[in-house]
Structure formats: C-alpha cells, structure tokens
Coordinates of all heavy atoms in Angstrom, one line a residue:
P1 N 0.8 -1.2 0.0 CA 0.0 0.0 0.0 C 0.9 1.3 0.0 O 1.9 1.3 0.6 CB -0.8 -0.1 1.3 CG -0.8 -1.5 1.7 CD 0.5 -2.1 1.1
H2 N 0.4 2.3 -0.7 CA 1.1 3.6 -0.7 C 0.1 4.7 -0.7 O 0.0 5.4 -1.7 CB 2.1 3.6 -1.8 CG 1.6 3.0 -3.1 ND1 0.9 3.7 -4.1 CD2 1.7 1.7 -3.5 CE1 0.6 2.9 -5.1 NE2 1.1 1.7 -4.8
P3 N -0.6 4.9 0.4 CA -1.7 5.9 0.5 C -1.1 7.3 0.5 O 0.1 7.5 0.8 CB -2.4 5.6 1.8 CG -1.5 4.8 2.6 CD -0.6 4.1 1.6
L4 N -1.9 8.3 0.1 CA -1.6 9.7 0.1 C -0.8 10.1 1.3 O -1.2 9.8 2.4 CB -2.8 10.5 -0.1 CG -2.6 12.0 -0.3 CD1 -1.9 12.3 -1.6 CD2 -4.0 12.7 -0.3
A5 N 0.3 10.8 1.1 CA 1.1 11.4 2.2 C 1.8 10.4 3.1 O 2.3 10.7 4.1 CB 0.3 12.3 3.1
S6 N 1.9 9.1 2.6 CA 2.7 8.1 3.4 C 4.1 8.1 2.9 O 4.5 8.5 1.8 CB 2.0 6.7 3.2 OG 2.2 6.3 1.9
A7 N 5.0 7.5 3.8 CA 6.4 7.3 3.4 C 6.5 6.4 2.2 O 7.4 6.7 1.3 CB 7.1 6.7 4.6
R8 N 5.7 5.4 2.1 CA 5.7 4.5 0.9 C 5.4 5.3 -0.4 O 5.9 5.0 -1.4 CB 4.8 3.3 1.2 CG 4.8 2.3 0.1 CD 6.1 1.6 0.0 NE 6.0 0.6 -1.1 CZ 6.9 0.6 -2.2 NH1 7.9 1.4 -2.2 NH2 6.7 -0.3 -3.1
Q9 N 4.4 6.2 -0.3 CA 4.1 7.0 -1.5 C 5.2 7.8 -1.9 O 5.5 8.0 -3.1 CB 2.8 7.8 -1.3 CG 2.4 8.4 -2.6 CD 1.4 9.5 -2.5 OE1 1.5 10.3 -1.6 NE2 0.5 9.6 -3.5
V10 N 6.0 8.4 -1.0 CA 7.2 9.2 -1.3 C 8.2 8.3 -2.0 O 8.8 8.7 -3.0 CB 7.8 9.8 0.0 CG1 9.1 10.4 -0.3 CG2 6.8 10.8 0.6
E11 N 8.3 7.0 -1.6 CA 9.2 6.1 -2.3 C 8.7 5.8 -3.7 O 9.6 5.8 -4.6 CB 9.3 4.8 -1.5 CG 10.0 4.9 -0.2 CD 9.9 3.6 0.6 OE1 9.6 2.5 0.0 OE2 10.1 3.6 1.8
V12 N 7.4 5.6 -3.9 CA 6.9 5.4 -5.2 C 7.1 6.6 -6.1 O 7.6 6.4 -7.3 CB 5.4 5.0 -5.1 CG1 4.8 5.0 -6.5 CG2 5.2 3.7 -4.4
R13 N 6.9 7.8 -5.6 CA 7.1 9.0 -6.4 C 8.6 9.1 -6.8 O 8.9 9.4 -7.9 CB 6.7 10.2 -5.6 CG 6.8 11.5 -6.5 CD 6.3 12.7 -5.8 NE 6.9 13.1 -4.6 CZ 6.3 13.1 -3.4 NH1 5.0 12.9 -3.3 NH2 6.9 13.4 -2.3
A14 N 9.5 8.8 -5.8 CA 10.9 8.9 -6.2 C 11.3 7.9 -7.2 O 12.1 8.2 -8.1 CB 11.8 8.6 -4.9
F15 N 10.7 6.7 -7.2 CA 10.9 5.7 -8.2 C 10.5 6.2 -9.6 O 11.2 6.1 -10.6 CB 10.2 4.4 -7.9 CG 10.2 3.4 -9.0 CD1 11.3 2.6 -9.3 CD2 9.0 3.3 -9.8 CE1 11.3 1.8 -10.4 CE2 9.0 2.4 -10.9 CZ 10.1 1.6 -11.2
L16 N 9.3 6.8 -9.6 CA 8.7 7.3 -10.9 C 9.6 8.4 -11.4 O 9.9 8.5 -12.6 CB 7.3 7.8 -10.7 CG 6.3 6.7 -10.4 CD1 4.9 7.3 -10.0 CD2 6.1 5.7 -11.6
E17 N 10.0 9.3 -10.5 CA 10.9 10.4 -11.0 C 12.2 9.9 -11.5 O 12.7 10.4 -12.6 CB 11.2 11.3 -9.8 CG 9.9 12.1 -9.3 CD 10.1 12.9 -8.1 OE1 11.1 12.7 -7.4 OE2 9.3 13.7 -7.8
G18 N 12.7 8.9 -10.9 CA 14.0 8.2 -11.4 C 13.8 7.6 -12.8 O 14.7 7.7 -13.6
E19 N 12.7 7.0 -13.0 CA 12.4 6.3 -14.3 C 12.3 7.4 -15.4 O 12.8 7.2 -16.5 CB 11.2 5.4 -14.2 CG 11.4 4.2 -13.4 CD 12.4 3.3 -14.0 OE1 12.2 2.8 -15.1 OE2 13.4 3.0 -13.4
V20 N 11.6 8.5 -15.1 CA 11.4 9.5 -16.1 C 12.8 10.2 -16.4 O 13.1 10.4 -17.5 CB 10.4 10.5 -15.6 CG1 10.3 11.7 -16.6 CG2 9.0 9.9 -15.5
E21 N 13.6 10.4 -15.3 CA 14.9 10.9 -15.5 C 15.7 10.0 -16.4 O 16.4 10.5 -17.3 CB 15.6 11.1 -14.2 CG 15.2 12.3 -13.4 CD 15.8 13.6 -13.9 OE1 16.9 13.6 -14.5 OE2 15.1 14.6 -13.7
R22 N 15.7 8.7 -16.1 CA 16.5 7.7 -16.8 C 16.1 7.8 -18.3 O 17.0 7.6 -19.2 CB 16.2 6.3 -16.3 CG 17.0 5.2 -16.9 CD 16.7 3.9 -16.2 NE 15.4 3.4 -16.4 CZ 14.9 2.9 -17.5 NH1 15.7 2.7 -18.5 NH2 13.7 2.5 -17.6
L23 N 14.9 8.0 -18.6 CA 14.4 8.1 -20.0 C 14.8 9.4 -20.7 O 14.6 9.6 -21.9 CB 12.9 7.9 -20.1 CG 12.4 6.5 -19.7 CD1 10.9 6.5 -19.6 CD2 12.9 5.5 -20.7
G24 N 15.2 10.4 -19.9 CA 15.6 11.7 -20.4 C 14.5 12.6 -20.8 O 14.6 13.5 -21.6
V25 N 13.3 12.4 -20.1 CA 12.1 13.1 -20.4 C 12.1 14.3 -19.4 O 12.3 14.2 -18.2 CB 10.9 12.2 -20.2 CG1 9.6 13.0 -20.3 CG2 10.9 11.1 -21.2
A26 N 11.7 15.5 -19.9 CA 11.5 16.7 -19.1 C 10.3 16.5 -18.2 O 9.2 16.0 -18.7 CB 11.4 17.9 -20.0
W27 N 10.4 16.8 -16.9 CA 9.2 16.7 -16.0 C 9.3 17.7 -14.9 O 10.3 18.4 -14.7 CB 9.2 15.2 -15.4 CG 10.4 15.0 -14.5 CD1 11.6 14.5 -14.9 CD2 10.4 15.1 -13.1 NE1 12.4 14.4 -13.9 CE2 11.8 14.7 -12.7 CE3 9.5 15.5 -12.2 CZ2 12.2 14.8 -11.4 CZ3 9.9 15.5 -10.8 CH2 11.2 15.2 -10.5
E28 N 8.2 17.8 -14.2 CA 8.2 18.7 -13.0 C 7.2 18.2 -12.0 O 6.3 17.4 -12.3 CB 7.8 20.1 -13.5 CG 6.4 20.3 -14.0 CD 6.0 21.7 -14.4 OE1 6.9 22.5 -14.4 OE2 4.9 21.9 -14.8
R29 N 7.4 18.6 -10.7 CA 6.5 18.4 -9.7 C 5.4 19.5 -9.6 O 5.8 20.6 -9.7 CB 7.2 18.3 -8.3 CG 8.1 17.1 -8.1 CD 8.7 17.2 -6.8 NE 9.6 16.1 -6.6 CZ 10.5 16.0 -5.7 NH1 10.6 17.0 -4.8 NH2 11.4 15.0 -5.6
Q30 N 4.2 19.1 -9.3 CA 3.1 20.1 -9.2 C 2.4 19.8 -7.9 O 1.5 19.0 -7.8 CB 2.1 20.0 -10.4 CG 2.8 20.3 -11.7 CD 1.8 20.1 -12.9 OE1 0.9 19.2 -12.8 NE2 2.1 20.8 -14.0
P31 N 2.8 20.5 -6.8 CA 2.2 20.3 -5.5 C 0.7 20.8 -5.5 O 0.4 21.7 -6.2 CB 3.0 21.1 -4.5 CG 4.2 21.4 -5.2 CD 3.9 21.4 -6.7
W32 N -0.2 20.1 -4.8 CA -1.6 20.5 -4.7 C -2.1 20.3 -3.3 O -1.5 19.5 -2.5 CB -2.4 19.8 -5.7 CG -2.4 18.3 -5.5 CD1 -1.5 17.4 -6.1 CD2 -3.2 17.5 -4.6 NE1 -1.8 16.1 -5.7 CE2 -2.8 16.1 -4.8 CE3 -4.2 17.8 -3.7 CZ2 -3.3 15.1 -4.0 CZ3 -4.8 16.7 -3.0 CH2 -4.3 15.4 -3.2
S33 N -3.2 20.9 -3.0 CA -3.8 20.7 -1.7 C -5.3 20.9 -1.9 O -5.7 21.7 -2.7 CB -3.3 21.6 -0.6 OG -3.6 22.9 -0.8
I34 N -6.1 20.2 -1.1 CA -7.6 20.3 -1.1 C -8.1 20.1 0.3 O -7.5 19.3 1.1 CB -8.2 19.2 -2.1 CG1 -9.7 19.5 -2.2 CG2 -7.9 17.8 -1.6 CD1 -10.3 18.6 -3.3
E35 N -9.1 20.8 0.6 CA -9.7 20.7 2.0 C -11.0 19.9 1.8 O -11.9 20.3 1.0 CB -10.0 22.0 2.6 CG -10.4 21.9 4.0 CD -10.5 23.2 4.8 OE1 -9.7 24.1 4.5 OE2 -11.4 23.4 5.6
R36 N -11.2 18.9 2.6 CA -12.4 18.1 2.7 C -12.7 17.8 4.1 O -11.9 17.3 4.9 CB -12.2 16.7 2.0 CG -12.3 16.8 0.5 CD -12.4 15.4 -0.1 NE -12.1 15.5 -1.5 CZ -11.6 14.5 -2.2 NH1 -11.4 13.4 -1.6 NH2 -11.4 14.7 -3.5
N37 N -14.0 18.1 4.5 CA -14.4 17.8 5.9 C -13.5 18.4 6.9 O -13.1 17.8 7.9 CB -14.6 16.3 6.1 CG -15.6 15.7 5.2 OD1 -16.6 16.3 4.8 ND2 -15.3 14.5 4.7
R38 N -13.1 19.7 6.7 CA -12.2 20.4 7.6 C -10.8 19.8 7.7 O -10.1 20.0 8.7 CB -12.8 20.6 8.9 CG -14.0 21.6 8.8 CD -14.7 21.7 10.1 NE -15.9 21.0 9.9 CZ -16.8 20.7 10.9 NH1 -16.5 21.0 12.1 NH2 -17.9 20.1 10.6
T39 N -10.4 19.0 6.8 CA -9.1 18.3 6.8 C -8.4 18.7 5.5 O -9.0 18.5 4.4 CB -9.1 16.8 6.9 OG1 -9.8 16.5 8.1 CG2 -7.8 16.2 6.9
T40 N -7.2 19.2 5.5 CA -6.4 19.5 4.3 C -5.6 18.3 3.9 O -4.9 17.7 4.7 CB -5.5 20.7 4.6 OG1 -6.3 21.8 5.0 CG2 -4.7 21.0 3.3
H41 N -5.7 17.9 2.6 CA -5.0 16.8 2.0 C -4.0 17.4 1.0 O -4.4 18.3 0.3 CB -5.9 15.8 1.3 CG -7.0 15.3 2.2 ND1 -6.8 14.2 3.0 CD2 -8.2 15.7 2.4 CE1 -7.9 13.9 3.7 NE2 -8.8 14.8 3.3
E42 N -2.8 17.0 1.1 CA -1.8 17.5 0.2 C -1.1 16.4 -0.6 O -1.0 15.2 -0.1 CB -0.7 18.3 0.9 CG -1.2 19.5 1.6 CD -0.1 20.2 2.4 OE1 0.9 19.6 2.8 OE2 -0.3 21.4 2.6
G43 N -0.7 16.7 -1.8 CA -0.1 15.7 -2.7 C 0.8 16.4 -3.7 O 0.9 17.6 -3.7
V44 N 1.4 15.6 -4.6 CA 2.2 16.1 -5.6 C 1.9 15.3 -6.9 O 2.0 14.1 -7.0 CB 3.7 15.8 -5.3 CG1 4.6 16.3 -6.4 CG2 4.1 16.5 -4.0
N45 N 1.6 16.1 -8.0 CA 1.4 15.5 -9.3 C 2.8 15.6 -10.0 O 3.6 16.5 -9.7 CB 0.4 16.3 -10.1 CG -1.0 16.1 -9.7 OD1 -1.4 15.1 -9.1 ND2 -1.8 17.1 -9.9
L46 N 3.0 14.6 -10.8 CA 4.2 14.6 -11.7 C 3.7 14.9 -13.1 O 2.8 14.2 -13.6 CB 4.9 13.3 -11.6 CG 5.4 12.9 -10.2 CD1 6.1 11.5 -10.3 CD2 6.3 13.9 -9.6
S47 N 4.3 15.8 -13.8 CA 4.0 16.2 -15.1 C 5.2 16.0 -16.0 O 6.3 16.5 -15.7 CB 3.5 17.6 -15.2 OG 3.2 18.0 -16.5
A48 N 5.0 15.2 -17.1 CA 6.1 15.0 -18.0 C 5.6 15.3 -19.4 O 4.4 15.1 -19.8 CB 6.6 13.6 -18.0
R49 N 6.5 15.8 -20.3 CA 6.2 16.1 -21.6 C 7.1 15.4 -22.6 O 8.3 15.6 -22.5 CB 6.3 17.6 -21.9 CG 5.8 18.0 -23.2 CD 5.8 19.5 -23.3 NE 4.8 20.0 -22.4 CZ 3.8 20.9 -22.7 NH1 3.8 21.4 -23.9 NH2 3.0 21.3 -21.8
L50 N 6.5 14.6 -23.4 CA 7.3 13.8 -24.4 C 7.2 14.6 -25.8 O 6.1 14.8 -26.2 CB 6.8 12.4 -24.6 CG 6.9 11.6 -23.4 CD1 5.7 10.7 -23.2 CD2 8.2 10.8 -23.4
P51 N 8.3 15.0 -26.4 CA 8.2 15.7 -27.6 C 7.7 14.7 -28.8 O 8.1 13.6 -28.8 CB 9.6 16.1 -27.9 CG 10.5 15.2 -27.1 CD 9.7 14.8 -25.9
A52 N 6.9 15.3 -29.6 CA 6.4 14.5 -30.8 C 7.5 14.4 -31.8 O 8.3 15.3 -32.0 CB 5.1 15.1 -31.3
G53 N 7.5 13.3 -32.6 CA 8.5 13.2 -33.7 C 8.1 14.2 -34.8 O 9.0 14.7 -35.5
D54 N 6.9 14.5 -34.9 CA 6.4 15.4 -36.0 C 5.8 16.6 -35.3 O 4.8 16.5 -34.5 CB 5.4 14.7 -36.9 CG 4.7 15.6 -37.9 OD1 5.1 16.8 -38.0 OD2 3.9 15.1 -38.6
P55 N 6.3 17.8 -35.5 CA 5.8 19.0 -34.8 C 4.3 19.3 -35.1 O 3.6 19.8 -34.3 CB 6.6 20.2 -35.3 CG 7.8 19.6 -35.8 CD 7.5 18.2 -36.3
G56 N 3.8 18.8 -36.2 CA 2.3 19.0 -36.5 C 1.5 17.8 -36.0 O 0.3 17.8 -36.3
A57 N 2.0 16.9 -35.3 CA 1.3 15.7 -34.9 C 0.3 16.1 -33.8 O 0.4 17.1 -33.1 CB 2.2 14.6 -34.3
S58 N -0.8 15.3 -33.7 CA -1.8 15.5 -32.6 C -1.1 15.2 -31.2 O -0.2 14.5 -31.1 CB -2.9 14.5 -32.8 OG -3.6 14.8 -34.0
R59 N -1.7 15.8 -30.2 CA -1.2 15.6 -28.9 C -2.0 14.5 -28.2 O -3.2 14.4 -28.4 CB -1.3 16.9 -28.1 CG -0.4 17.9 -28.6 CD -0.4 19.2 -27.8 NE 0.6 20.1 -28.4 CZ 0.6 21.3 -28.0 NH1 -0.2 21.8 -27.2 NH2 1.5 22.1 -28.6
V60 N -1.4 13.8 -27.3 CA -2.1 12.7 -26.5 C -1.8 13.0 -25.0 O -0.7 13.3 -24.7 CB -1.5 11.4 -26.9 CG1 -2.1 10.3 -26.0 CG2 -1.7 11.1 -28.4
L61 N -2.8 13.0 -24.2 CA -2.7 13.2 -22.8 C -2.9 11.8 -22.1 O -3.8 11.1 -22.3 CB -3.8 14.2 -22.3 CG -3.8 14.4 -20.8 CD1 -2.6 15.1 -20.3 CD2 -5.1 15.2 -20.5
V62 N -1.9 11.5 -21.3 CA -1.9 10.2 -20.5 C -1.9 10.6 -19.0 O -1.0 11.4 -18.6 CB -0.7 9.3 -20.9 CG1 -0.8 8.1 -20.1 CG2 -0.7 9.0 -22.4
V63 N -2.8 10.1 -18.3 CA -2.9 10.4 -16.8 C -3.0 9.1 -16.0 O -3.5 8.1 -16.5 CB -4.0 11.3 -16.5 CG1 -3.9 12.7 -17.2 CG2 -5.4 10.7 -16.9
A64 N -2.5 9.1 -14.8 CA -2.5 8.0 -13.9 C -2.3 8.5 -12.5 O -1.7 9.5 -12.3 CB -1.5 6.9 -14.3
H65 N -2.7 7.7 -11.5 CA -2.4 8.1 -10.2 C -1.4 7.1 -9.6 O -1.4 5.9 -10.0 CB -3.7 8.2 -9.3 CG -4.4 7.0 -9.1 ND1 -4.2 6.1 -8.0 CD2 -5.4 6.4 -9.8 CE1 -5.0 5.1 -8.1 NE2 -5.7 5.2 -9.2
Y66 N -0.7 7.5 -8.6 CA 0.3 6.6 -8.0 C 0.1 6.4 -6.5 O 1.0 6.0 -5.8 CB 1.8 7.0 -8.3 CG 2.1 8.4 -7.7 CD1 2.8 8.5 -6.5 CD2 1.9 9.6 -8.4 CE1 3.2 9.7 -6.0 CE2 2.2 10.8 -7.9 CZ 2.9 10.9 -6.7 OH 3.2 12.1 -6.2
D67 N -1.1 6.7 -6.0 CA -1.4 6.4 -4.6 C -2.4 5.2 -4.6 O -2.8 4.7 -5.6 CB -2.1 7.6 -4.0 CG -3.4 8.0 -4.6 OD1 -3.6 7.7 -5.8 OD2 -4.2 8.6 -3.9
S68 N -2.6 4.7 -3.4 CA -3.6 3.7 -3.1 C -4.3 3.9 -1.9 O -4.0 4.8 -1.1 CB -2.9 2.3 -3.1 OG -2.1 2.2 -1.8
R69 N -5.4 3.2 -1.7 CA -6.1 3.3 -0.4 C -5.3 2.5 0.7 O -4.6 1.6 0.4 CB -7.5 2.8 -0.5 CG -8.3 3.6 -1.5 CD -9.8 3.2 -1.6 NE -10.5 3.2 -0.3 CZ -11.0 4.2 0.3 NH1 -10.9 5.4 -0.2 NH2 -11.6 4.1 1.5
V70 N -5.5 2.9 1.9 CA -4.9 2.2 3.0 C -5.3 0.7 3.0 O -6.5 0.4 2.8 CB -5.3 2.8 4.4 CG1 -4.7 2.0 5.5 CG2 -4.8 4.3 4.5
G71 N -4.3 -0.1 3.0 CA -4.6 -1.6 3.0 C -4.8 -2.2 1.6 O -5.0 -3.4 1.5
A72 N -4.7 -1.4 0.6 CA -4.9 -1.9 -0.8 C -3.6 -1.9 -1.5 O -2.7 -1.1 -1.2 CB -5.9 -1.0 -1.5
P73 N -3.4 -2.9 -2.4 CA -2.1 -3.0 -3.1 C -1.9 -1.9 -4.1 O -0.7 -1.6 -4.4 CB -2.2 -4.4 -3.8 CG -3.7 -4.6 -4.0 CD -4.4 -3.9 -2.8
G74 N -2.9 -1.2 -4.6 CA -2.7 -0.1 -5.5 C -2.4 -0.6 -6.9 O -1.8 0.2 -7.7
A75 N -2.7 -1.8 -7.2 CA -2.4 -2.3 -8.6 C -3.7 -2.6 -9.3 O -4.7 -3.1 -8.7 CB -1.6 -3.6 -8.5
G76 N -3.8 -2.2 -10.6 CA -5.0 -2.6 -11.4 C -6.2 -1.7 -11.1 O -7.2 -2.0 -11.7
D77 N -6.1 -0.6 -10.4 CA -7.2 0.2 -10.1 C -7.2 1.5 -10.9 O -8.1 2.3 -10.9 CB -7.4 0.5 -8.6 CG -6.3 1.4 -8.1 OD1 -5.2 1.4 -8.7 OD2 -6.5 2.0 -7.0
D78 N -6.2 1.7 -11.7 CA -6.1 3.0 -12.4 C -6.5 2.8 -13.9 O -5.7 2.1 -14.6 CB -4.6 3.5 -12.4 CG -4.5 4.9 -12.9 OD1 -5.4 5.7 -12.6 OD2 -3.5 5.2 -13.6
G79 N -7.6 3.3 -14.3 CA -8.1 3.1 -15.6 C -8.6 1.8 -15.9 O -8.9 1.4 -17.1
A80 N -8.8 0.9 -14.9 CA -9.3 -0.4 -15.1 C -10.8 -0.4 -15.4 O -11.5 0.5 -15.0 CB -9.0 -1.3 -13.9

C-alpha cells in the first residue's frame, strides 16, 4: 500500500521520478492541496512532456495516479 502522504508513497514517487529521468524526459512536480471535511490533504502531481516526432502531430494526454487506499495493493485500479 502507498496511500496519500505516506512514506511509501514518497518512495513510489521517487521511483517514478527516477524512471522519467532515466528516459531523459523533461518533467516537473506540481504540489496541490484540497480541503475536505475540515481536513487538508496534500499531494504532488508529476507532469512530463514527451516531444512528438512530428511538430504537427496530434497531442495525446496520458494520466494515472500513484497512490492507493490504506490496506490496498494499488495495482490494477487505475483506468481499469
């Protein structure tokens, strides 16, 4: 499990950042926060941009989350 704001989620984020770096892709962290039921939740989105081979090519947006619920493995629930 790697729920929001956990040490394990920080490890998962570091892994993803390392993989994107290894591929030589430009990326950035985008911190966010939201308040629900008088509790503030904070997280970090990772944004990467892959250049198209053809400047006139259509753009494709790919999104995914890298957190899980407490006690859940966090596999197979994104876009399933």
Side-chain angles (χ1 to χ4, degrees):
H2 38 91
L4 185 63
S6 68
R8 182 69 180 125
Q9 188 194 35
V10 172
E11 292 174 19
V12 170
R13 183 173 62 240
F15 169 78
L16 294 171
E17 291 172 347
E19 289 297 297
V20 174
E21 283 282 332
R22 185 179 64 78
L23 294 170
V25 175
W27 64 277
E28 66 181 3
R29 289 182 185 164
Q30 298 174 333
W32 58 268
S33 66
I34 186 171
E35 187 173 328
R36 283 193 194 152
N37 301 324
R38 291 176 252 170
T39 301
T40 300
H41 303 276
E42 297 179 335
V44 178
N45 288 332
L46 302 178
S47 176
R49 185 172 296 225
L50 297 141
D54 175 2
S58 298
R59 294 182 177 169
V60 176
L61 176 65
V62 178
V63 297
H65 66 92
Y66 62 96
D67 63 332
S68 70
R69 295 187 54 83
V70 175
D77 66 337
D78 191 41

